[in-house]
Amino acid sequence: MNIFLIGAPGCGKGTQSEFLVHKKNFQHLSTGNIFRHHLKNETPLGLSAKKYMKEGKLVPDGITIDMVKDSLASIDNQQNLVFDGFPRNLKQAQAFDKILDTSHRQLDWIFYLEVSDAKIIERLAGRLYAPKSGRVYHKTQKPPQKEGFCDESGEELAQREDDKEEVILKRLKIFWEDTRPLLDYYKEKFTLKTLDGEKSPEDIFQDILSIISS
Ligand code: AMP
């Protein structure tokens, strides 16, 4: 089964992907995570993506599409996959159709996690992460036991460069201008379901489970 999660940055795509990975044996294909991995390891791909990511802009389509093609090539096409953060504009969506075709896959479900802009800003501005363990916290909604440090690794927590307020606003603008119009593109093609992304993560996951097992 192939699922595509679409929504504004901070709408909970990553959290729902983690649930699918741990509870339903999905593999997670997150272009944001792949870019961050390359950035951390200072690979040529990471260096070319760096300035776009830092400013909250989309990495150019050619680079992103090639990266997704490469990632998919090494994954068995029977493996359940959750696509998170790709495609993000019309050009990527059209390329994605071709990539899916050539890898003999089809999208079974598309879930739009709908969250208000005010909530997105509140979520992202308070988000903290542990660079090594990868755990994600929130200053008020999911605080660590010891302020500023990871419960698991004890390392100091950091704020993503692109979670600074001025960058969040740019990312939201791109979502409304480039990504959200994809809902119309997919409405005509696939089974698209809009979910209330302001519910608790567990409740959203139950909504997803009841749909995919129906
Ligand atoms: P995310 O973690 O999905 O919010 O992605 C973080 C950043 O990675 C984005 O702000 C972009 O700079 C870059 N990125 C992730 N996915 C894409 C994509 N599909 N197209 C272009 N850039 C992307």
Side-chain angles (χ1 to χ4, degrees):
M1 179 180 286
N2 296 284
I3 292 180
F4 168 39
L5 298 180
I6 182 168
C11 70
K13 302 186 294 290
T15 305
Q16 295 306 320
S17 298
E18 287 302 313
F19 283 145
L20 286 164
V21 168
H22 292 116
K23 300 182 192 234
K24 286 283 156 190
N25 197 29
F26 274 72
Q27 191 162 330
H28 186 195
L29 203 151
S30 153
T31 42
N33 284 357
I34 303 174
F35 279 132
R36 276 186 290 280
H37 173 80
H38 281 276
L39 200 61
K40 196 166 145 195
N41 293 296
E42 299 186 335
T43 67
L45 177 60
L47 294 176
S48 47
K50 188 174 178 173
K51 70 169 191 296
Y52 301 101
M53 294 178 73
K54 215 174 144 184
E55 291 175 14
K57 293 182 181 157
L58 293 186
V59 177
D61 292 331
I63 298 177
T64 307
I65 291 164
D66 284 349
M67 184 179 85
V68 171
K69 271 189 205 155
D70 284 353
S71 306
L72 259 191
S74 60
I75 304 174
D76 187 300
N77 71 357
Q78 296 305 308
Q79 168 68 48
N80 291 334
L81 264 182
V82 51
F83 293 90
D84 158 9
F86 179 88
R88 250 170 151 109
N89 61 26
L90 190 58
K91 193 162 168 213
Q92 292 183 9
Q94 287 163 340
F96 191 37
D97 287 344
K98 292 198 188 114
I99 296 173
L100 288 169
D101 254 7
T102 45
S103 63
H104 306 292
R105 291 176 174 276
Q106 61 170 44
L107 280 182
D108 298 287
W109 297 104
I110 300 175
F111 294 109
Y112 170 43
L113 304 183
E114 193 171 35
V115 178
S116 71
D117 283 4
K119 196 88 188 160
I120 291 289
I121 294 167
E122 181 190 317
R123 282 189 191 174
L124 293 185
R127 183 161 76 173
L128 295 170
Y129 78 106
K132 290 198 190 108
S133 73
R135 285 189 70 165
V136 179
Y137 297 88
H138 189 277
K139 283 178 193 164
T140 54
Q141 287 152 20
K142 197 185 164 199
Q145 280 160 16
K146 183 176 171 205
E147 194 183 329
F149 294 89
C150 178
D151 296 343
E152 188 181 293
S153 62
E155 68 190 297
E156 196 165 353
L157 301 178
Q159 185 180 41
R160 268 171 58 170
E161 193 100 46
D162 57 354
D163 280 347
K164 307 236 154 82
E165 194 141 352
E166 65 280 11
V167 186
I168 296 172
L169 296 179
K170 269 196 220 160
R171 292 165 69 203
L172 261 178
K173 186 165 182 278
I174 292 175
F175 168 72
W176 279 98
E177 287 176 358
D178 296 343
T179 309
R180 204 176 179 287
L182 290 185
L183 296 182
D184 287 332
Y185 179 76
Y186 284 116
K187 206 154 44 189
E188 290 168 10
K189 295 180 161 240
F190 295 105
T191 320
L192 169 75
K193 300 279 179 196
T194 296
L195 302 179
D196 178 355
E198 298 195 15
K199 285 186 177 176
S200 76
E202 291 75 17
D203 285 350
I204 298 170
F205 189 56
Q206 284 312 315
D207 291 344
I208 292 179
L209 285 185
S210 64
I211 292 171
I212 64 178
S213 55
S214 63

